[in-house]
């Protein structure tokens, strides 16, 4: 896969955008794949008991999918040098309607000496941001 | 929770062997579409021994260390009150199927914020040769009694 050309990047460039429609099935699949079987991610009764507005997506699922547009843009997953997020708002997944997570990846900072680009992610459900300080450092050297 | 946990280093976890089908299962679950995550041929063509795990896969290994922390007899952490605040991964290289990984957790800090405690746990993950692969850092908020 082609590597993005560092020299052609400018702070503010949108390098990738993708929408992820989640259903309850997505949560069950992630629970099995990750081993996180906390029932707040698949049982309405348990979610209600602990005072949540509904069944929630795993924070680590949101973090895991939000970086995927950047992995594809970078071409090689090995170019991801660092990835961090803050979990600012839970993602409620309706049993029928699900939830859609919209990801926009923008150039936030360019470190020319190291050929490292910081990609800043905007991760939203509707108008609400669900991840804060979501930053991926991609090494293009 | 117990503030004296700060600075504690837990024993290394048992080695975790990264399976090809586990990587593919995890990749599908996080909507990965890059062939290097899914197809061994594409991964080999890119210079890897086997399929490459998605960036957040190390959580599976880190989780073993977080379970150790919660099980510390004097930790006094009520799991039902734990909220994941921040997460960070810093990579030397990506995880590849066939890796045998071992993780060691250090409690970097324990702070109080009103009735809540904020714990930062850093898990260093190394391969069978002891070489660094990735460090996973979680900030956990333990909510105080309401």
């Amino acid at each position: 896969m082609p590597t993005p050309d560092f020299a052609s990047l400018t702070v503010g460039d949108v390098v990738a955008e993708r929408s992820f429609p989640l259903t309850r099935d997505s949560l069950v699949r992630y629970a099995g794949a990750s081993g996180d079987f906390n029932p707040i991610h698949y049982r309405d009764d348990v979610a209600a008991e602990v005072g949540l507005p509904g069944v929630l997506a795993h924070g680590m699922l949101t973090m895991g999918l939000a970086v995927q547009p950047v992995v594809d843009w970078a071409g090689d997953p090995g170019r991801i040098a660092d990835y961090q997020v803050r979990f600012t708002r839970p993602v409620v997944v309706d049993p029928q309607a699900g939830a859609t997570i919209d990801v926009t990846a923008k150039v936030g900072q360019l470190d020319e000496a190291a050929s490292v680009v910081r990609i800043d992610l905007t991760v939203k459900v509707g108008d609400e941001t669900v991840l804060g300080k979501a930053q991926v450092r991609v090494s293009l050297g | 929770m117990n503030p004296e946990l700060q600075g504690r280093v837990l024993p290394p976890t048992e080695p975790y062997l990264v399976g090809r089908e586990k990587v593919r299962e995890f990749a599908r679950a996080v909507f990965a579409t890059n062939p290097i995550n899914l197809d061994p041929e594409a991964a080999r063509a890119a210079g890897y021994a086997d399929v490459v795990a998605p960036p957040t896969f190390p959580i599976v290994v880190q989780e073993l260390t977080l379970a150790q922390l919660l099980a510390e007899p004097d930790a006094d952490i009520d799991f039902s009150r734990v909220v994941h605040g921040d997460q960070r991964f810093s990579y030397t290289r990506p995880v590849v199927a066939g890796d045998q990984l071992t993780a060691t957790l250090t409690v970097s800090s324990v702070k109080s914020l009103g009735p809540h405690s904020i714990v930062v746990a850093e898990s260093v993950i190394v391969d069978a040769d002891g070489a660094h692969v990735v460090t996973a850092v979680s900030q956990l908020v333990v909510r105080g009694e309401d």
Side-chain angles (χ1 to χ4, degrees):
Chain A
M1 281 196 199
T3 305
D5 176 19
F6 185 89
S8 71
L9 299 173
T10 307
V11 170
D13 285 354
V14 173
V15 298
E17 279 181 293
R18 192 171 157 195
S19 286
F20 296 90
L22 293 186
T23 63
R24 290 287 175 87
D25 308 44
S26 320
L27 307 193
V28 172
R29 182 183 284 256
Y30 184 78
S34 68
D36 181 346
F37 292 104
N38 187 333
I40 64 164
H41 303 302
Y42 51 88
R43 275 183 56 180
D44 294 275
D45 57 331
V46 174
E49 236 169 67
V50 297
L52 296 171
V55 160
L56 306 183
H58 305 73
M60 286 305 303
L61 170 56
T62 305
M63 183 181 186
L65 61 82
V67 75
Q68 293 306 323
V70 182
V71 171
D72 286 341
W73 170 74
D76 183 335
R79 295 190 179 281
I80 308 296
D82 190 287
Y83 179 33
Q84 64 173 324
V85 307
R86 179 163 295 164
F87 301 103
T88 50
R89 192 185 284 273
V91 175
V92 177
V93 180
D94 182 84
Q96 259 111 41
T100 298
I101 299 181
D102 297 313
V103 179
T104 305
K106 266 189 196 173
V107 175
Q109 200 179 63
L110 293 161
D111 177 349
E112 228 162 301
S115 291
V116 170
V117 51
R118 193 189 81 207
I119 301 293
D120 295 346
L121 302 177
T122 305
V123 184
K124 289 185 163 188
V125 174
D127 294 331
E128 292 181 329
T129 298
V130 297
L131 294 181
K133 211 189 172 197
Q135 299 180 342
V136 194
R137 280 174 211 283
V138 183
S139 178
L140 297 179
Chain B
M1 69 168 292
N2 181 359
E4 286 171 16
L5 282 178
Q6 181 162 313
R8 186 170 301 182
V9 182
L10 302 185
T13 54
E14 291 293 311
Y16 178 98
L17 178 59
V18 179
R20 177 190 288 170
E21 296 307 335
K22 190 70 195 175
V23 167
R24 288 152 57 113
E25 182 190 7
F26 191 93
R28 287 190 291 266
V30 294
F31 300 82
T33 44
N34 194 306
I36 297 173
N37 294 131
L38 298 160
D39 175 9
E41 286 307 317
R44 279 187 209 109
Y48 297 102
D50 205 323
V51 288
V52 173
T56 58
F57 181 82
I59 189 70
V60 174
V61 181
Q62 185 197 0
E63 183 57 38
L64 303 174
T65 64
L66 295 173
Q68 271 181 312
L69 175 62
L70 295 172
E72 283 287 279
D74 60 345
D76 193 24
I77 300 172
D78 177 354
F79 182 59
S80 69
R81 294 183 165 276
V82 175
V83 178
H84 200 171
D86 291 6
Q87 178 70 32
R88 181 170 197 165
F89 299 101
S90 300
Y91 312 88
T92 295
R93 67 163 178 88
V95 171
V96 177
D99 279 339
Q100 192 167 288
L101 301 175
T102 304
T104 304
L105 181 146
T106 300
V107 180
S108 308
S109 74
V110 180
K111 287 179 186 150
S112 294
L113 186 71
H116 313 301
S117 301
I118 297 175
V119 189
V120 177
E122 178 178 299
S123 301
V124 174
I125 300 176
V126 300
D127 64 18
D129 298 328
H132 182 260
V133 177
V134 54
T135 295
V137 182
S138 292
Q139 188 205 68
L140 305 172
V141 181
V142 187
R143 289 179 296 135
E145 300 291 330
D146 297 324

